Amino acid sequence: MSPSAIVHLQSRRRWLARAGVLLMGMGAAAARAAPLPAATRDRRDLVIAVSDSSESTRKVVTDLRRRFPRAQVSDAKVPASRRAMVIAVGPVALRAVMADVGEGPVVSVFTSSQVYHSIIETAGDRRSAATAIYAEPSPAAQLRLVGMLFKRPVRTAVVLGARTAFLEPSLQRAAAATKMPLVVENYGAGDSINGILSRTSDAPAILAIPDSLVYNSENLRTVLLTTYRNGQAVVGFSAALVRAGALATTYSEVEEINAQLEELVNDYDLHGRLPEPQFPKYFRTLINEDVARSLNLVVDEIARNFAYRPGQR
């Protein structure tokens, strides 16, 4: 290994030692939301259901109160009025709301697709009146970012466990739209992360999807160091993962998720139909420039400024 490569490897180990990579919760299976009766659509109550008073939750609630001044903020464990529309902030709040016997629509925010679907699977009749804006980035935006970083379509591997297998159709659609060659590896019960990384070592890029079976606090160091040695770029699913040593990600701020939520609520008021669960529409990009240099990638302003903001056409 060259002296410069050794320096980059040592630097990466320091990132991993410092960074606390917070894995968002994760799940599997999707359901189309059915239209709700007119009586339900006429509701005027909007409840923001929370499960804690952390700084991050307070930031979310402050922005939501600005957008929805008449909304009530409530402990998720306290049942809302039966016809209220409930915005469940985070997975703990979503689980409590879905266990309630209310009849109104539920919109999940700041919960990953894996956890959302694991909760919805056990929600019985309420699942048809629920939808989500997932916490993790859109696969379509992530694959577009891969193309910008490499300046061409490159073979990209994605690893899915049993609880994220439901994402494969949307990943394949995104790959077709971006003309990105996509290789899907299924992480089975007898698999190890080392075996998966060995099978995908010829792919220049790895698209990491939040899946607690595949990526967790015990093996992220191994994943990032092994892909570094293989000369592979990891496009991660959070800003924290990029700071820890992944190459890049698209990510959404609170205000961007909430802007999409505001559009969803307004559309529901007009048409009385919840959309299917969706990925964040508005985003910006974070790139680890040190990792890019170690991979001999020249990052241009097009990639750095890749974003879609509320109000942008």
Side-chain angles (χ1 to χ4, degrees):
M1 184 178 292
S2 67
S4 62
I6 292 172
V7 170
H8 286 303
L9 180 57
Q10 292 171 340
S11 176
R12 183 165 230 179
R13 284 177 173 143
R14 286 195 294 273
W15 297 330
L16 289 167
R18 291 197 305 263
V21 180
L22 301 176
L23 294 175
M24 291 182 224
M26 321 174 200
R32 177 179 295 274
L36 295 173
T40 303
R41 296 204 301 270
D42 290 340
R43 59 98 192 114
R44 292 268 49 95
D45 291 339
L46 180 64
V47 175
I48 302 168
V50 299
S51 61
D52 62 71
S53 58
S54 65
E55 182 179 349
S56 59
T57 298
R58 290 198 303 270
K59 182 178 180 180
V60 171
V61 170
T62 298
D63 187 66
L64 287 176
R65 290 296 299 271
R66 178 178 64 83
R67 297 173 190 275
F68 306 107
R70 298 181 62 181
Q72 300 175 334
V73 180
S74 173
D75 186 323
K77 295 179 182 178
V78 177
S81 61
R82 293 183 68 86
R83 293 195 301 156
M85 184 178 209
V86 180
I87 298 170
V89 181
V92 176
L94 176 63
R95 189 171 283 107
V97 168
M98 296 309 293
D100 186 17
V101 294
E103 298 172 355
V106 177
V107 184
S108 167
V109 288
F110 303 102
T111 295
S112 76
S113 60
Q114 179 182 340
V115 164
Y116 172 78
H117 285 286
S118 69
I119 293 171
I120 290 299
E121 282 176 349
T122 61
D125 294 340
R126 292 213 73 184
R127 62 188 298 171
S128 64
T131 192
I133 299 173
Y134 298 140
E136 74 261 32
S138 159
Q142 295 282 74
L143 288 173
R144 286 180 63 193
L145 179 59
V146 171
M148 291 177 182
L149 292 167
F150 283 87
K151 300 180 176 61
R152 67 185 191 281
V154 296
R155 180 180 165 90
T156 301
V158 62
V159 184
L160 300 177
R163 291 194 165 224
T164 49
F166 73 95
L167 290 171
E168 183 169 357
S170 60
L171 285 163
Q172 294 291 3
R173 287 192 296 271
T178 56
K179 298 181 171 56
M180 196 69 61
L182 186 70
V183 179
V184 177
E185 282 285 343
N186 295 309
Y187 193 106
D191 281 322
S192 68
I193 194 63
N194 289 328
I196 291 289
L197 294 175
S198 177
R199 297 205 299 267
T200 59
S201 61
D202 60 342
I206 302 288
L207 175 59
I209 299 292
D211 185 323
S212 57
L213 176 65
V214 181
Y215 304 107
N216 51 63
S217 58
E218 285 75 35
N219 67 20
L220 273 171
R221 176 184 174 87
T222 297
V223 170
L224 292 173
L225 289 177
T226 301
T227 52
Y228 172 79
R229 293 191 185 102
N230 291 342
Q232 294 171 291
V234 176
V235 174
F237 46 80
S238 70
L241 187 52
V242 173
R243 288 191 288 269
L247 171 62
T249 190
T250 61
Y251 70 101
S252 302
E253 297 284 7
V254 164
E255 295 78 8
E256 291 161 339
I257 295 289
N258 287 350
Q260 185 174 347
L261 173 63
E262 184 177 14
E263 294 171 1
L264 188 157
V265 171
N266 291 340
D267 187 70
Y268 173 81
D269 283 344
L270 285 173
H271 305 292
R273 181 183 292 272
L274 291 176
E276 290 185 356
Q278 53 196 243
F279 290 97
K281 176 166 61 173
Y282 303 118
F283 62 87
R284 57 193 71 192
T285 293
L286 178 65
I287 297 172
N288 189 319
E289 302 281 353
D290 289 334
V291 173
R293 282 191 291 272
S294 74
L295 295 171
N296 296 316
L297 292 174
V298 178
V299 180
D300 58 26
E301 292 305 306
I302 294 175
R304 290 190 184 95
N305 297 325
F306 179 44
Y308 186 49
R309 307 289 176 84
Q312 184 176 338
R313 293 182 179 273

